[in-house]
Amino acid sequence: MPKLSIIMPSLNVHLYIKDCLESVIHQTLHDLEILCIDAGSTDGTWEILEKYAGKDNRIRLIRSPQKSYGYQMNLGIRESTGEYIGIVETDDFILPEMYQELYTYAKKNDAEFVKSDFNVFTTLPNGERLYLKYSLKKYSSAMYYTVFTSEDYFNDKNTVDIFAWNGIYRKSFLVKNHIQFQETPGAAFQDCGFRYQIALNVKRGFFLDRSFYCYRRDNTNSSTYNSKCVLFNLSECKNLIRIASQTGKTKKRQMEFLAREIAVIAHRPYIELLTWGQPEEGTKEALNEFRTILKNFINKGILNRMSVTENDWLAIRIFVDNPEFYDYYAHLKAEATAESVKLFLKDVISYKHVILFGSGYI
């Protein structure tokens, strides 16, 4: 049994796959298997994978019959033989010591998962890369180097960290708790339900303040920019409610946790979508479905002003009770954000030299 199985789902990423694979095969943790799950690439990605597989017997190539990120991930989990499972999306790359550090810490602490901070990067026209550390402590309820359980998620008003690929998971933990991805078509937001299934079941999870994973933000095909984000999030949330019911995760504290998280997912992404693009057809109907779900939570008493922050409760009530005003508010906030960015960029390009300082997180 290898110490770690790395699942790498791919579809038409020939521009990035070499850098990604190089970073994986040169991990300081050598005892691993690399599962490349390709969903029918036609741009040369598969041929690149074949060349690497011919040089490294740790690489296993698997063709996915479905163009579905969730299906690819579930196929990878089923096919994996490692003690732990890691995920590397094939337009990103990782630092050499990532899995050695995470695996060593996981074994020492008998962890079901170990996750860490990561680096967001973009590539300039001249090939230079700019990096920014993303702090889990800053943006979620994560506390470093201390055991995390489901109760910690239930007790905190902050949202959980929203990423699947910045850590490793014990395979037996995933299998025992039937934790899977939803197998909807495409590759957008299908890690949403996965992360909440982790949170509902974990007894020994850990976060590290080290940064190993390098997350690309200059791929215009990334799901981050998908105009269907509200529709995808709705599908994930409805599936999550179904899973909670099927697996008996319906105690009051568990449902309060899910209600709180779904409430945030219902309204925040819409504003971000308006900031950078235009919603897909069907977004209005999806938002109304979210409203029905939240009304049900409120009526049952599992979503209330004590379970979320004051700002979120205000936004939730406006979102649920006054859709027209919320839409006006969302457009106004998005326009203000976009305008502030435009003004900043206009100001920056007027200078010959720009010095950045204090731009990282401690």
Side-chain angles (χ1 to χ4, degrees):
M1 174 191 291
K3 293 178 178 177
L4 183 73
S5 297
I6 302 175
I7 301 174
M8 301 178 61
S10 61
L11 176 62
N12 294 333
V13 285
H14 77 283
L15 292 176
Y16 315 115
I17 189 64
K18 289 183 180 179
D19 283 349
C20 182
L21 266 173
E22 286 288 332
S23 73
V24 171
I25 64 177
H26 289 104
Q27 287 293 293
T28 55
L29 178 66
H30 191 266
D31 185 12
L32 44 81
E33 67 172 352
I34 303 166
L35 303 176
C36 297
I37 318 290
D38 189 77
S41 292
T42 57
D43 67 342
T45 296
W46 179 259
E47 289 72 20
I48 295 171
L49 292 173
E50 285 183 314
K51 289 181 180 179
Y52 275 88
K55 299 176 183 177
D56 193 326
N57 60 13
R58 298 175 301 170
I59 299 176
R60 291 172 55 195
L61 303 187
I62 302 174
R63 290 186 184 272
S64 170
Q66 297 185 30
K67 287 182 170 59
S68 163
Y69 177 87
Y71 182 89
Q72 289 171 267
M73 289 304 306
N74 290 339
L75 178 58
I77 293 172
R78 289 195 300 271
E79 291 289 327
S80 65
T81 62
E83 181 183 3
Y84 281 84
I85 288 174
I87 302 165
V88 179
E89 304 208 337
T90 42
D91 55 350
D92 302 329
F93 69 92
I94 56 178
L95 300 186
E97 67 275 17
M98 176 172 176
Y99 288 126
Q100 182 71 64
E101 295 274 354
L102 296 182
Y103 179 80
T104 300
Y105 195 89
K107 289 295 291 181
K108 181 180 178 180
N109 293 278
D110 189 28
E112 292 165 331
F113 77 71
V114 178
K115 305 182 75 175
S116 71
D117 292 345
F118 58 91
N119 299 313
V120 178
F121 78 93
T122 188
T123 307
L124 301 179
N126 63 3
E128 181 184 358
R129 285 172 173 164
L130 300 180
Y131 296 87
L132 180 66
K133 181 179 179 181
Y134 185 102
S135 166
L136 295 180
K137 184 176 181 180
K138 181 179 177 70
Y139 292 109
S140 72
S141 57
M143 298 294 292
Y144 301 122
Y145 304 103
T146 184
V147 65
F148 235 73
T149 71
S150 294
E151 288 297 316
D152 292 300
Y153 287 116
F154 302 161
N155 290 335
D156 202 296
K157 291 184 180 182
N158 293 328
T159 187
V160 303
D161 74 292
I162 62 173
F163 313 99
W165 32 253
N166 59 323
I168 61 174
Y169 310 87
R170 184 188 286 156
K171 180 178 178 179
S172 60
F173 164 68
L174 299 180
V175 173
K176 176 184 176 182
N177 294 288
H178 308 286
I179 298 174
Q180 294 185 325
F181 291 78
Q182 187 178 194
E183 297 182 358
T184 45
F189 298 93
Q190 290 165 334
D191 55 356
C192 177
F194 178 81
R195 67 177 180 255
Y196 292 118
Q197 292 175 71
I198 296 290
L200 283 170
N201 290 283
V202 68
K203 295 180 180 177
R204 292 191 62 81
F206 294 85
F207 296 95
L208 311 184
D209 65 355
R210 301 282 307 281
S211 296
F212 308 107
Y213 195 98
C214 298
Y215 174 58
R216 183 182 298 275
R217 290 305 300 266
D218 55 22
N219 180 3
T220 56
N221 293 319
S222 170
S223 62
T224 302
Y225 308 105
N226 200 303
S227 61
K228 295 182 179 180
C229 69
V230 174
L231 286 73
F232 292 139
N233 278 330
L234 174 64
S235 175
E236 286 294 307
C237 289
K238 289 167 68 176
N239 187 54
L240 185 58
I241 294 170
R242 180 185 61 79
I243 290 172
S245 177
Q246 288 182 344
T247 57
K249 302 294 182 181
T250 54
K251 293 180 180 179
K252 188 172 186 293
R253 286 166 60 76
Q254 293 169 328
M255 291 307 297
E256 285 176 341
F257 164 71
L258 287 181
R260 182 184 77 220
E261 294 296 325
I262 290 172
V264 171
I265 295 170
H267 72 89
R268 284 188 188 174
Y270 179 57
I271 296 176
E272 186 169 349
L273 173 59
L274 292 175
T275 304
W276 309 116
Q278 292 297 320
E280 188 75 14
E281 183 179 352
T283 296
K284 181 178 180 180
E285 290 76 11
L287 291 172
N288 284 333
E289 280 200 63
F290 264 129
R291 290 187 176 98
T292 299
I293 292 171
L294 298 192
K295 283 180 182 178
N296 184 44
F297 288 154
I298 292 171
N299 290 338
K300 289 182 177 180
I302 56 176
L303 179 63
N304 53 63
R305 67 185 309 159
M306 301 302 295
S307 60
V308 296
T309 65
E310 289 185 8
N311 287 339
D312 274 332
W313 181 243
L314 177 61
I316 290 166
R317 293 306 317 206
I318 296 174
F319 175 79
V320 171
D321 298 333
N322 197 331
E324 290 186 4
F325 181 76
Y326 182 83
D327 199 59
Y328 169 76
Y329 158 79
H331 277 83
L332 196 64
K333 190 169 184 179
E335 289 172 7
T337 301
E339 187 62 28
S340 65
V341 172
K342 290 179 183 177
L343 290 175
F344 171 75
L345 294 176
K346 184 178 180 180
D347 194 36
V348 166
I349 62 176
S350 66
Y351 295 95
K352 291 183 179 180
H353 302 285
V354 177
I355 300 174
L356 299 177
F357 64 94
S359 58
Y361 300 137
I362 298 177

